[in-house]
């Protein structure tokens, strides 16, 4: 059944506290897909923070983002390069959007995009709430060699007001063990690989007993007070495949 979402969603500081164990596993699995010297696009989304916190400290990558919390997390992680896109500031999400953001994105050929969404539906595709954020997401999809969606099981069958793209624009979706078999099969029937974090064979997965669920403060944290997660054990390095920003004439 299709689950219609409300017209608005809570800020990421609240969303970050929902299903932290599932999001931690999704982030760890996603981090294992990042290769040495890759250029990756990081979208806005609470699960994306767990990806950043799971990246090995020694990995040399370039991160391109329009979301300030990603910059704050990455600033503690050398030797990675961070490129922060310009644009109009959305203070509710601490992101930047608009025509200037989209224009800057046109200069990049990224290896991978890690995308956050509000809903995943075989019929309605990827959906979200904010018009300007959706425009940035669409441009990010155009700039990436591989599109990877990070979505916990609650996002499947949910439809938010604004469509981002069809599921056929996605190469891979990383989710948690709460996904139903029906949802998984429906998505895979469209040619999208579904990776379940926590199941044997998923990259970056650790035994259930060793995953520590972080203790989340009951107080709302500001972006400058985002806590750092302990670094995960270094993951095996993947083959070098570097892409550089396009040079405009």
């Amino acid at each position: 059944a299709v689950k219609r979402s409300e017209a608005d969603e809570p800020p990421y500081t609240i969303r970050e506290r929902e299903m932290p164990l599932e999001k931690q596993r999704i982030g760890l699995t996603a981090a294992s897909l990042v290769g040495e010297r890759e250029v990756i696009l990081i979208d806005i989304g609470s699960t994306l923070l767990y990806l950043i916190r799971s990246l090995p400290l020694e990995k040399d990558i370039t991160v391109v983002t329009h979301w300030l919390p990603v910059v704050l997390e990455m600033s503690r992680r050398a030797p990675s390069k961070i490129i922060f896109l310009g644009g109009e500031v959305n203070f509710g999400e601490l992101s930047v959007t608009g025509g200037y953001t989209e224009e800057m994105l046109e200069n990049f050929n990224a290896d991978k995009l890690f995308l956050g969404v509000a809903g995943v539906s075989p019929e309605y595709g990827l959906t979200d709430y904010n018009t300007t954020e959706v425009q940035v997401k669409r441009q990010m999809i155009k700039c990436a060699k591989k599109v990877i969606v990070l979505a916990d099981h609650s996002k499947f069958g949910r439809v938010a007001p604004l469509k981002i793209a069809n599921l056929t624009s996605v190469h891979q979706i990383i989710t948690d063990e709460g996904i139903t078999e029906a949802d998984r099969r429906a998505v895979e029937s469209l040619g999208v690989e579904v990776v379940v974090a926590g199941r044997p064979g998923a990259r970056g997965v650790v035994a259930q007993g060793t995953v520590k669920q972080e203790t989340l403060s009951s107080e709302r944290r500001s972006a400058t007070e985002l806590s750092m997660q302990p670094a995960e054990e270094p993951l095996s390095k993947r083959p070098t495949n570097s892409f550089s920003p396009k040079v405009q004439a």
Side-chain angles (χ1 to χ4, degrees):
V2 173
K3 297 173 284 186
R4 294 286 178 178
S5 294
E6 299 295 331
D8 297 301
E9 66 176 345
Y12 84 91
T13 49
I14 295 177
R15 303 195 306 271
E16 184 186 5
R17 302 170 189 171
E18 299 171 347
M19 292 186 284
L21 181 59
E22 290 85 351
K23 291 179 179 180
Q24 185 181 32
R25 287 175 173 167
I26 292 171
L28 179 60
T29 301
S32 71
L33 301 177
V34 178
E36 189 73 20
R37 300 183 63 81
E38 283 193 335
V39 176
I40 61 173
L41 294 171
I42 303 290
D43 187 29
I44 179 175
S46 58
T47 309
L48 278 300
L49 287 178
Y50 289 85
L51 159 62
I52 295 298
R53 293 165 182 166
S54 298
L55 288 172
L57 290 172
E58 80 286 351
K59 186 156 287 186
D60 182 12
I61 59 175
T62 297
V63 173
V64 182
T65 188
H66 69 306
W67 196 28
L68 183 58
V70 171
V71 177
L72 296 177
E73 291 286 351
M74 289 298 298
S75 67
R76 306 180 177 104
R77 313 181 72 84
S80 301
K81 178 191 289 186
I82 310 163
I83 299 175
F84 186 57
L85 303 170
E88 183 177 350
V89 177
N90 175 351
F91 287 102
E93 294 289 344
L94 294 178
S95 62
V96 293
T97 58
Y100 188 48
T101 312
E102 297 164 35
E103 183 179 344
M104 289 186 69
L105 278 168
E106 292 177 359
N107 294 309
F108 292 94
N109 290 316
D111 294 284
K112 295 182 178 76
L113 161 63
F114 293 96
L115 187 70
V117 300
V120 178
S121 165
E123 181 179 359
Y124 296 94
L126 305 175
T127 56
D128 214 286
Y129 294 91
N130 185 284
T131 303
T132 56
E133 291 288 354
V134 165
Q135 289 297 113
V136 173
K137 292 174 190 289
R138 289 173 180 167
Q139 187 60 47
M140 283 182 161
I141 290 173
K142 293 178 182 179
C143 298
K145 301 291 184 183
K146 185 173 184 179
V147 178
I148 303 170
V149 172
L150 274 57
D152 64 69
H153 70 272
S154 70
K155 305 291 181 69
F156 288 82
R158 179 181 295 177
V159 179
L162 301 173
K163 183 173 182 177
I164 302 167
N166 293 322
L167 284 186
T168 51
S169 300
V170 177
H171 298 89
Q172 195 174 69
I173 297 178
I174 304 176
T175 187
D176 62 86
E177 292 182 301
I179 186 174
T180 66
E181 187 66 15
D183 283 337
R184 184 186 66 80
R185 289 184 179 276
V187 172
E188 290 183 336
S189 70
L190 297 175
V192 181
E193 181 186 5
V194 177
V195 176
V196 180
R199 287 185 181 173
R203 291 186 178 91
V205 171
V206 294
Q208 183 173 357
T210 65
V211 177
K212 296 181 180 179
Q213 180 171 355
E214 66 171 342
T215 301
L216 298 171
S217 169
S218 60
E219 298 180 353
R220 180 172 177 173
R221 292 173 294 177
S222 67
T224 56
E225 296 171 329
L226 286 171
S227 61
M228 272 298 296
Q229 298 294 314
E232 302 290 343
E233 288 296 321
L235 303 169
S236 59
K237 295 185 177 180
R238 296 178 60 77
T240 298
N241 182 14
S242 179
F243 287 84
S244 300
K246 290 181 280 191
V247 178
Q248 292 181 326

